[in-house]
């Protein structure tokens, strides 16, 4: 929603500005609209990639720290996990038994600690490339709306059509 809305509003502003400055010459408006659509789409994609990659690296670092704690202090980590289960309503003996069983497999223990203690799903840390592609596409869809009338119509009709279509898309 943010990408579509951002593309729509920013490119509508660009298209309207160029339309006013060029006395409505459609080819200038079309060129500026397409350039704005591409520039904004690539900018949004790059920003989303960097943001998602940074977030993913942070999560991976948190998982690595949890792994190091598990290797260095397994009994303390087992006690922490038992505490998590006690907070979920298990009795102290039940919680200790569950944690002990989990810790028989270090990978299962790590997975459970990451999910319960950090609130992360190690299998779903997010894809920077997927987020970038999604942001690119969302911005491009929104930015295309004010450009479309300049592709299908000519002359002075494109300006009000572009404005009307963009306002309708905003709603």
């Amino acid at each position: 929603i943010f990408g579509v809305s951002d593309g729509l509003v920013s490119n509508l502003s660009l298209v309207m500005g160029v339309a006013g400055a060029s006395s409505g010459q459609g080819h200038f408006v079309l060129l500026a609209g397409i350039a704005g659509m591409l520039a904004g789409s690539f900018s949004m994609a790059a920003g989303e990639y960097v943001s998602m990659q940074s977030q993913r690296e942070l999560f991976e670092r948190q998982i690595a720290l949890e792994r190091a704690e598990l290797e260095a202090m397994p009994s303390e980590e087992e006690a922490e996990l038992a505490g998590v289960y006690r907070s979920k309503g298990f009795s102290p003996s039940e919680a200790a038994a569950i944690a002990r069983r989990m810790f028989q497999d270090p990978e299962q223990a790590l997975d459970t600690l990451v999910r319960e203690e950090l609130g992360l799903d190690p299998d779903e840390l997010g894809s920077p490339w997927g987020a970038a592609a999604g942001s690119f596409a969302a911005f491009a869809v929104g930015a295309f709306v004010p450009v479309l009338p300049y592709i299908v119509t000519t002359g002075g009709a494109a300006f009000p059509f572009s404005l009307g279509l963009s306002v309708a898309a905003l709603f």
Side-chain angles (χ1 to χ4, degrees):
I1 298 297
F2 171 71
V4 172
S5 177
D6 190 26
L8 180 57
V9 171
S10 65
N11 218 34
L12 174 63
S13 299
L14 175 65
V15 165
M16 295 297 111
V18 172
S22 68
S23 301
Q25 293 184 12
H27 59 283
F28 287 126
V29 178
L30 181 60
L31 179 61
I34 291 172
M37 179 178 69
L38 290 174
S41 296
F42 280 112
S43 175
M44 288 287 286
E48 191 65 28
Y49 177 85
V50 169
S51 173
M52 189 64 139
Q53 183 64 24
S54 297
Q55 177 180 310
R56 185 177 176 89
E57 288 172 0
L58 172 67
F59 291 160
E60 288 170 346
R61 176 74 178 132
Q62 288 176 317
I63 292 169
L65 287 173
E66 197 62 42
R67 181 185 305 277
E69 289 175 3
L70 181 62
E71 291 170 359
M73 309 174 291
S75 58
E76 287 86 352
E77 290 298 305
E78 185 176 326
E80 276 185 40
L81 186 58
V84 168
Y85 287 118
R86 277 193 310 276
S87 72
K88 291 184 180 223
F90 289 94
S91 71
S93 61
E94 290 172 325
I98 293 169
R100 194 174 320 105
R101 182 148 189 222
M102 291 283 187
F103 270 71
Q104 290 175 351
D105 178 1
E107 285 304 310
Q108 183 179 12
L110 177 63
D111 185 75
T112 304
L113 283 167
V114 166
R115 290 173 191 275
E116 296 294 338
E117 194 177 322
L118 302 178
L120 298 175
D121 182 347
D123 300 323
E124 299 289 329
L125 297 181
S127 165
W129 286 109
S135 287
F136 182 95
F139 189 96
V141 165
F144 185 71
V145 171
V147 174
L148 179 63
Y150 287 91
I151 294 173
V152 298
T153 63
T154 58
F159 183 86
F161 184 30
S162 177
L163 185 58
L165 186 61
S166 297
V167 169
L170 281 171
F171 286 104

